[in-house]
Amino acid sequence: MTTETEALTIDELAARAGVTVRTVRFYGTKGLLPPPVLGPRRVGRYGREHLARLELIEELQSRGMTLAAIERYLAQLPPDLSVRDLAVQRAVVASWAPNTVETVSRAELERRAGRALGEEELKRLAAMDVVERAGEPDGDLFKVDAGLLRLGVELLDVPLSHESVLAARAVLTEHSRAAARELSRLLRDAVADKDAPDRRSLSARMHPLVVQALLTTFQRSLKEELREWLDEDG
C-alpha cells in the first residue's frame, strides 16, 4: 500500500500508474508533475501526490483533452491539493464519460489499487459501487469503475463498518437523485424554447459544470458539518 512517507522510484511510479517511464519524464519536463525529491545518490523519489496527479493527467488525456488543455486545467487547480482532493478531481473528470467501467483480472485490479485486496476489502469496494465480480462468484475477474477506484481504496482505511458504508451509500444515492431530478427539471424549463440540437449541446456543456458545482457545494457543507460535530465533542 502506498503511504504518505513511501518513496517510489520512477520505474515504480510508472508501473503503479500503468504508464511508461518515458511518459513520466515527459510530463515532468512539461511541468505537469512536480519534481521528485532527491534521495541518496541523487536518485529521484516520488510520493502519493505524484501518483494521484499522474492518474488525473492520464484520465484527462483519456477524455480526449490535448496537452495544452491539460496544462490549463491543472493550472486552475490549487497548488496544495491533497492526494484525496486529486482523487476527487479524477472522479469528476471520469464522470464526464458515459461509462468508465472496465473488466480486469484480480492481479490488474490490485496493481491499479496499489495494494493486495482481501475479500472483506472487495466487499466494501462493491458496497461503494467501485468493483463488482464478473462471472463466477469466486472468480478472479472484476468490473471496476476506473474513475472511482483510487478514491474507494483511500476509503478502505477509514474505520467504518460494512453496514455504515451501505448506509452512507443509501443516503448519497437518495439525495443525489433528488438533486439530479430538481436540476434536470430546472434546466428543461430554461431551454424549453430552444431547438433539440441546442438542448443537447447545452446539456453536454453543463454536465461537468453541474458535477463540479455539486461536488464543491457538498465538500463545503460536509466540512461545516464535521467542524460543528468536532466542536461539540471538544
Side-chain angles (χ1 to χ4, degrees), residues 85-102:
D85 290 334
L86 289 166
V88 170
Q89 285 289 330
R90 185 187 176 199
V92 172
V93 173
S95 73
W96 301 353
N99 189 357
T100 59
V101 176
E102 303 174 42

Side-chain angles (χ1 to χ4, degrees), residues 88 92 95 172 175-184 187 206-222:
V88 170
V92 172
S95 73
L172 287 171
H175 290 283
S176 62
R177 285 178 177 170
R181 281 194 297 269
E182 291 300 316
L183 284 169
S184 178
L187 291 174
M206 287 297 295
H207 184 192
L209 297 177
V210 169
V211 170
Q212 183 68 67
L214 284 171
L215 176 62
T216 302
T217 303
F218 179 76
Q219 282 183 311
R220 289 174 180 170
S221 299
L222 184 59

Side-chain angles (χ1 to χ4, degrees), residues 35 67 86 89 101 116-117 126 132 141 145 150 159 174 200 208 234:
L67 186 62
L86 289 166
Q89 285 289 330
V101 176
L117 296 170
E132 176 187 354
L141 284 181
D145 190 323
R150 180 60 57 181
E174 177 187 354
R200 285 192 291 269

Side-chain angles (χ1 to χ4, degrees), residues 4-144:
E4 289 291 348
T5 57
E6 183 179 6
L8 304 171
T9 66
I10 191 171
D11 298 271
E12 291 169 335
L13 175 67
R16 187 74 62 83
V19 300
T20 65
V21 170
R22 182 178 179 182
T23 296
V24 175
R25 288 185 174 139
F26 175 73
Y27 289 153
T29 59
K30 290 294 183 179
L32 301 181
L33 281 178
V37 175
L38 293 180
R41 300 181 182 176
R42 298 186 61 79
V43 175
R45 296 289 179 174
Y46 298 82
R48 296 176 67 199
E49 67 280 0
H50 291 95
L51 177 60
R53 188 170 288 268
L54 181 55
E55 289 175 332
L56 174 57
I57 294 169
E58 286 295 296
E59 193 70 54
L60 291 166
Q61 190 175 62
S62 72
R63 302 298 160 227
M65 291 182 68
T66 64
L67 186 62
I70 293 175
E71 288 177 316
R72 288 194 298 270
Y73 183 95
L74 295 178
Q76 293 173 358
L77 299 178
D80 57 347
L81 282 182
S82 68
V83 171
R84 186 158 297 164
D85 290 334
L86 289 166
V88 170
Q89 285 289 330
R90 185 187 176 199
V92 172
V93 173
S95 73
W96 301 353
N99 189 357
T100 59
V101 176
E102 303 174 42
T103 300
V104 300
S105 66
R106 182 164 188 160
E108 175 63 13
L109 174 60
E110 292 182 337
R111 187 193 69 77
R112 295 189 186 189
R115 61 191 286 179
L117 296 170
E119 288 303 316
E120 182 61 29
E121 291 174 316
L122 290 171
K123 185 178 179 182
R124 294 186 66 188
L125 288 174
M128 291 184 274
D129 276 342
V130 176
V131 303
E132 176 187 354
R133 261 200 168 90
E136 297 297 324
D138 58 347
D140 281 338
L141 284 181
F142 295 84
K143 293 181 180 179
V144 55

